[in-house]
Amino acid sequence: MSGSLAAGEDRPRPGRAAVRAAARAVLARAAHPVLLLAVVAVFAATVRRGWPPGPVTFAFQFATLCYLAGLERLIPYERSWRPSRREWRWYGVYYLLTTLGGSTGQTAVLLAAGAVAPERPLLPLAAEMPLALLLGSLASYAIHRLGHTNPWLWRLHGVHHVPDKVNVGNNGVNHVLDVFVSQACAQLPLALIGFSERAVFGVGLFVIAQGYFVHANVAVRLGLLNHVLAGPEQHRLHHSTDLAEAGHYGSDLSVWDRAFGSFTWHPGREPAEVGLLRPESFPATGAIGATLVHPWRMPAKTGETAG
């Protein structure tokens, strides 16, 4: 026994750096699956217990933000992209505005779903939800792409591209009308088509999780799943100042980027710089009042797109 102990003592022990690296690798692999499991768990619990979808959606959104903000501290992609305390204060105001716009749009969608949904769903939930996800993702892709090509919509959506860093906090840096329009246009068709309220709610949870995940400053790689799901690697390219690589309008699925030629990611491709090609064309993120009135002050410029 003493011989075996001595042999064990002679074995080199991994240093703290190696242990931390291994822990970060585990976190990077588990981060996205844990988030998707949370979507399933919250959806199942809400349906089973009859919880009201509105408050559950708000709580899930906030919990997702906190979860990813924690991961940004542990497995950051770019340390210089961490928000300062001042930026967190700005992001907090934008988060409230985004929540206002998003919850208003979501409420309209759920009310419409409750009003027009058939008494009995046309399809089983297991078939209804994938179809609702595909159609909702297509609508979201279309309105997002229009936000980059239509001059007036760009004056709304361009607010989101002002920051020169990409993190989960500034995912909420949006014009409140942009959030409302995007939310309503992406999910209202699902309600009007006749998808059940449960299907619309479940898809909404997935979209929230993916929307915050792709914007997170985390060193997570999806590998081959990048060709099906949107991820941080793709969305960082979307924020690139190089318009040749700034595609990726899907924030939940990447299949529509594939279908419509806006998929630019390949392994190892990273943006050299993120933000606006012409930063002077929008107010600074901290100028919240100027940002809110900006769409009505700046004349539309044909061909102006995100950078």
Side-chain angles (χ1 to χ4, degrees):
M1 181 179 292
S2 60
S4 62
L5 285 175
E9 290 173 357
D10 290 337
R11 293 174 187 167
R13 295 181 179 179
R16 289 185 178 181
V19 171
R20 289 175 181 172
R24 285 195 293 267
V26 171
L27 277 176
R29 287 184 176 275
H32 192 230
V34 166
L35 185 59
L36 295 183
L37 285 173
V39 171
V40 175
V42 171
F43 173 74
T46 302
V47 171
R48 186 180 302 114
R49 298 178 181 273
W51 293 337
V56 170
T57 299
F58 175 78
F60 179 76
Q61 180 188 50
F62 185 72
T64 299
L65 171 62
C66 293
Y67 168 67
L68 291 170
L71 287 179
E72 287 187 338
R73 302 291 298 179
L74 298 171
I75 49 171
Y77 163 77
E78 175 56 64
R79 292 185 182 276
S80 65
W81 286 359
R82 286 178 175 174
S84 65
R85 290 184 179 180
R86 187 180 186 186
E87 287 172 331
W88 269 121
R89 288 195 291 269
W90 297 341
Y91 298 166
V93 175
Y94 280 105
Y95 176 78
L96 293 176
L97 293 173
T98 295
T99 301
L100 174 64
S103 61
T104 303
Q106 182 74 10
T107 299
V109 169
L110 291 175
L111 287 174
V116 304
E119 292 184 7
R120 293 185 178 181
L122 301 177
L123 296 170
L125 189 62
E128 189 182 24
M129 286 190 65
L131 182 57
L133 174 59
L134 280 172
L135 293 178
S137 178
L138 176 59
S140 177
Y141 174 92
I143 192 65
H144 190 183
R145 191 159 187 168
L146 276 174
H148 283 260
T149 55
N150 178 275
W152 195 84
L153 289 178
W154 169 244
R155 285 185 280 162
L156 291 175
H157 183 65
V159 169
H160 180 66
H161 286 263
V162 172
D164 59 357
K165 56 181 72 173
V166 180
N167 55 55
V168 71
N170 61 30
N171 183 49
V173 175
N174 300 287
H175 196 284
V176 62
L177 285 182
D178 183 38
V179 179
F180 175 80
V181 169
S182 300
Q183 186 84 25
C185 290
Q187 294 196 36
L188 190 57
L190 302 182
L192 297 179
I193 289 172
F195 285 105
S196 68
E197 187 176 357
R198 288 194 302 174
V200 174
F201 168 67
V203 168
L205 289 181
F206 176 77
V207 169
I208 288 172
Q210 280 292 107
Y212 277 93
F213 171 67
V214 301
H215 217 275
N217 176 29
V218 290
V220 174
R221 293 177 173 83
L222 296 185
L224 292 176
L225 282 177
N226 275 297
H227 299 285
V228 179
L229 299 176
E233 297 165 278
Q234 301 168 41
H235 201 71
R236 286 191 283 267
L237 291 172
H238 175 69
H239 280 262
S240 174
T241 56
D242 180 358
L243 300 186
E245 64 184 10
H248 296 289
Y249 301 104
S251 59
D252 40 37
L253 304 179
S254 61
V255 293
W256 302 117
D257 285 294
R258 273 290 186 191
F260 296 111
S262 51
F263 190 98
T264 67
W265 174 83
H266 58 71
R269 188 171 198 176
E270 299 176 353
E273 189 176 1
V274 298
L276 288 174
L277 191 61
R278 293 189 296 276
E280 71 281 358
S281 61
F282 279 83
T285 298
I288 298 173
T291 294
L292 290 175
V293 300
H294 175 72
W296 293 273
R297 286 187 172 182
M298 185 181 77
K301 295 181 180 180
T302 304
E304 186 177 44
T305 55

